[in-house]
Amino acid sequence: MQKSSYRVFHTPIDLGSRLVYTDSYDTYLPVGAPDALHYHEICEVGICREGRGLWFIGGRAYALSPGDAVVVKAGVPHYSRSVGNVNPADRADVGDCRCEFIYFDEYRLFEESGIKPIEFGIGSDCPPVFYRRENKLARELLLHMVDAVRQGGEFCERRAAHWYALFLLNLPLAEAETIAERDSELAPALDRMAFDFAENLTLDMLAAECAMSPSWFSKRFKAEYGVTPMRYLNWLRVDIAAQLLLSGVSVTEASILAGFSSPSELYRHFRERYGIAPSEYRRGDFGSMG
């Protein structure tokens, strides 16, 4: 994947002689967007334990509710944030979405457990990210892997490898996504949208991120993505609102969290993108969607 040099950094995690590493069980996500996208040279599994959050990866946002899981392959930039209230610690920079993260070297995990990585697509065309709340089996297999890591002890890595292999076997390619490469000239604007989607972004502001004039930026952007920058931004906000609606957020709250000025504005853009009203989408009435 082509990485932008704009607000993207590598977060090293020293596994030492270990194959897997788990951070604190009480990792509260920040309320606002962090300063930058980050990526690791190893695989990451995130499990939402409580609260609501958003996970940004590959230019898309995914809602996090308790029990949801996400897998990010090595080298894929991402970030996560809370969308709920401040947690009991009353810290202004921390929300109520609590996650647990597991990091592991995918190749070593399999090879040192006697499993051939190529049997599971590792190192070939295995998609670099997974997120699917509807696939309960895949989610449960990931939770078993996380439990094996947390319990530790003898054969911890082998048990984790067993559950992760079963996860991959039960993950159809249709339920995973490949992160598309981005035009490096436009990446700063895409990153700004992903971080500040709820702010009052303007065409001039986005063009300035790419050191382009507004007219040239609009022309380059439409040629690359088929829509104007502002429509792309509104569609990103709609997708975020849609994810929030599926996690149980009200239409009014989703419109605010996604950066729309009112529920009616969300309604207008939602109908344009999905063909149905936000309330219908929240109820699961997808029959009329094209």
Side-chain angles (χ1 to χ4, degrees):
M1 173 180 173
Q2 191 175 32
K3 299 184 184 68
S4 165
S5 61
Y6 180 78
R7 297 197 294 182
V8 177
F9 66 94
H10 171 227
T11 300
I13 297 175
D14 184 14
L15 295 177
S17 61
R18 302 178 60 190
L19 300 179
V20 293
Y21 164 83
T22 176
D23 74 349
S24 168
Y25 183 66
D26 295 318
T27 301
Y28 284 92
L29 301 182
V31 174
D35 294 333
L37 291 165
H38 69 279
Y39 66 96
H40 316 286
E41 292 180 352
I42 53 179
C43 211
E44 175 181 331
V45 174
I47 305 291
C48 179
R49 295 300 188 182
E50 65 180 44
R52 290 197 300 268
L54 288 172
W55 189 284
F56 283 83
I57 183 167
R60 294 192 60 184
Y62 302 90
L64 293 176
S65 297
D68 287 341
V70 62
V71 175
V72 182
K73 298 286 185 166
V76 179
H78 58 278
Y79 85 88
S80 51
R81 65 194 289 182
S82 263
V83 297
N85 299 321
V86 174
N87 71 16
D90 241 2
R91 288 181 52 187
D93 61 334
V94 173
D96 67 355
C97 185
R98 180 165 60 90
C99 293
E100 179 176 12
F101 297 98
I102 301 294
Y103 304 91
F104 60 98
D105 186 318
E106 202 170 40
Y107 292 92
R108 288 179 59 200
L109 181 68
F110 279 147
E111 290 176 352
E112 297 193 19
S113 298
I115 299 174
K116 295 181 180 180
I118 196 63
E119 294 176 358
F120 299 95
I122 307 303
S124 58
D125 296 324
C126 189
V129 59
F130 160 80
Y131 170 89
R132 182 68 62 174
R133 62 160 43 94
E134 293 87 354
N135 190 329
K136 295 181 180 179
L137 174 59
R139 184 179 62 184
E140 289 301 315
L141 292 171
L142 277 180
L143 293 177
H144 282 307
M145 176 194 178
V146 172
D147 287 340
V149 173
R150 291 186 66 242
Q151 292 169 6
E154 191 176 7
F155 305 121
C156 161
E157 289 84 2
R158 182 164 294 185
R159 292 198 310 272
H162 166 79
W163 291 116
Y164 189 63
L166 288 176
F167 161 75
L168 291 178
L169 285 173
N170 286 277
L171 180 64
L173 292 182
E175 294 195 359
E177 297 184 19
T178 300
I179 303 301
E181 292 189 2
R182 298 182 302 169
D183 187 305
S184 59
E185 291 184 321
L186 301 176
L190 296 172
D191 292 340
R192 180 67 185 273
M193 292 181 195
F195 281 103
D196 299 328
F197 61 89
E199 304 299 322
N200 186 25
L201 298 177
T202 65
L203 178 62
D204 288 350
M205 293 166 64
L206 295 174
E209 295 287 355
C210 301
M212 299 179 185
S213 69
S215 59
W216 178 245
F217 170 71
S218 293
K219 183 176 181 179
R220 287 283 297 106
F221 198 98
K222 189 167 185 179
E224 182 71 22
Y225 296 100
V227 295
T228 66
M230 301 314 293
R231 174 166 288 191
Y232 184 98
L233 174 60
N234 282 324
W235 282 3
L236 172 63
R237 289 168 173 164
V238 166
D239 290 342
I240 292 170
Q243 286 286 314
L244 293 171
L245 291 170
L246 289 179
S247 68
V249 172
S250 70
V251 174
T252 298
E253 188 178 5
S255 66
I256 296 172
L257 292 171
F260 289 106
S261 60
S262 65
S264 61
E265 186 185 16
L266 169 62
Y267 178 90
R268 177 165 57 88
H269 290 290
F270 205 98
R271 292 282 304 192
E272 178 187 23
R273 182 146 175 79
Y274 286 96
I276 61 175
S279 57
E280 294 175 301
Y281 190 89
R282 187 174 185 271
R283 292 194 303 267
D285 297 339
F286 305 140
S288 60
M289 291 178 63

